Amino acid sequence: MVTWTKYKLTPSLVAPARGAEVLACDTQMGPIIDVGQEATGIIAIGQFASGFIAIGQVATGFIAVGQVARGFFVVGQAGFGILSLGMLSGGLVGSVGMLGAGGRGLGGILPLVPRLVDPRELPPEVSFDSLASGRVAEGFVRAKLEVAPDGSARLYSGSTPLPLLIDARLRLALPAHNARELLVSVRRVGTGFVADRLLTIPASRLKNPKFWLLWAIQLGLLFVASIAFWLLVVRPVLEVLERVFS
């Protein structure tokens, strides 16, 4: 807290002019380090710790570490913040824990931010022309599978059939993927090419109604979590920082 006090200069004081007024500044700020049962400081360590960096059984701060921790960046058995790490973890943006919720998370975390695409990472694609020209020896080619009534199968790039031999180990799985676009692992064998692996390409989630319902639930929970985060974390932390730095 900063207070200003007026002083009247007298002849016994050195002053630029008789009777001039000056302002004196009296500055008070919380301790830099406070240790105790109820600690408040820039760095606070105690059973109940409040500060910019708070470490304690119950910790509240911009950075908080404790059994119960709340703040912006928190670590604790029960942690609630923007980024949170704990057994019971709630992170508005990111969360890591055995149980909890967060925008994105690792562990047993309920994600609150909808994911529009399948989280699986597909391998990079190559064109069949690059394989045929010898620029690459193997790679995944996007192709459409067509299975004939007699069981024979062909792979097409657009409307052009690809000169590939399909590994015999794949033939039992081919009917289930008929008329679908796939990623096909192609490698050169001698003067020809062999397809020895198939990867399905996830369909767009935007076309699946069940994901619209899931996203609506996630966004509703995210809205509730944002309000709770403001009331239970942001406001108390701002009050703590005001006490510490005023």
Side-chain angles (χ1 to χ4, degrees):
M1 180 176 64
V2 179
T3 60
W4 296 91
T5 306
K6 287 186 178 182
Y7 290 93
K8 176 76 72 174
L9 295 182
T10 65
S12 61
L13 298 175
V14 177
R18 183 181 297 275
E21 291 182 342
V22 298
L23 296 176
C25 178
D26 179 22
T27 304
Q28 297 177 351
M29 188 175 71
I32 295 178
I33 300 177
D34 190 13
V35 179
Q37 184 173 3
E38 296 185 2
T40 301
I42 296 177
I43 301 176
I45 303 173
Q47 185 174 2
F48 298 94
S50 302
F52 183 81
I53 300 176
I55 303 173
Q57 190 170 0
V58 178
T60 302
F62 187 83
I63 300 173
V65 180
Q67 288 186 341
V68 178
R70 59 179 178 173
F72 288 4
F73 305 96
V74 301
V75 178
Q77 287 186 345
F80 307 94
I82 291 180
L83 297 176
S84 174
L85 171 63
M87 294 181 63
L88 177 62
S89 182
L92 195 63
V93 174
S95 183
V96 179
M98 295 179 62
L99 184 66
R104 286 282 184 264
L106 295 176
I109 302 300
L110 174 67
L112 301 181
V113 176
R115 190 185 293 272
L116 299 181
V117 296
D118 194 291
R120 291 180 296 169
E121 291 188 7
L122 296 175
E125 300 177 24
V126 300
S127 66
F128 185 78
D129 290 340
S130 62
L131 289 166
S133 64
R135 292 197 300 271
V136 294
E138 59 181 311
F140 282 88
V141 176
R142 184 180 290 259
K144 185 176 181 180
L145 175 67
E146 296 288 347
V147 180
D150 61 359
S152 61
R154 295 295 300 268
L155 291 164
Y156 292 82
S157 176
S159 58
T160 305
L162 298 177
L164 300 174
L165 294 177
I166 300 177
D167 194 302
R169 292 170 295 181
L170 298 178
R171 292 196 175 274
L172 291 177
L174 294 181
H177 302 292
N178 185 30
R180 293 187 60 180
E181 196 171 44
L182 305 167
L183 285 182
V184 184
S185 176
V186 179
R187 58 186 175 88
R188 180 184 289 274
V189 177
T191 58
F193 298 93
V194 174
D196 57 6
R197 187 181 174 193
L198 303 177
L199 292 180
T200 58
I201 300 174
S204 173
R205 292 186 171 185
L206 294 174
K207 299 178 181 179
N208 193 332
K210 74 176 184 180
F211 283 110
W212 286 93
L213 176 60
L214 175 61
W215 294 337
I217 295 173
Q218 285 180 300
L219 291 175
L221 292 175
L222 181 62
F223 178 73
V224 173
S226 299
I227 295 175
F229 179 74
W230 172 259
L231 295 176
L232 301 179
V233 176
V234 175
R235 289 180 62 181
V237 169
L238 292 179
E239 290 173 359
V240 166
L241 296 179
E242 185 179 7
R243 292 201 307 269
V244 169
F245 290 104
S246 63

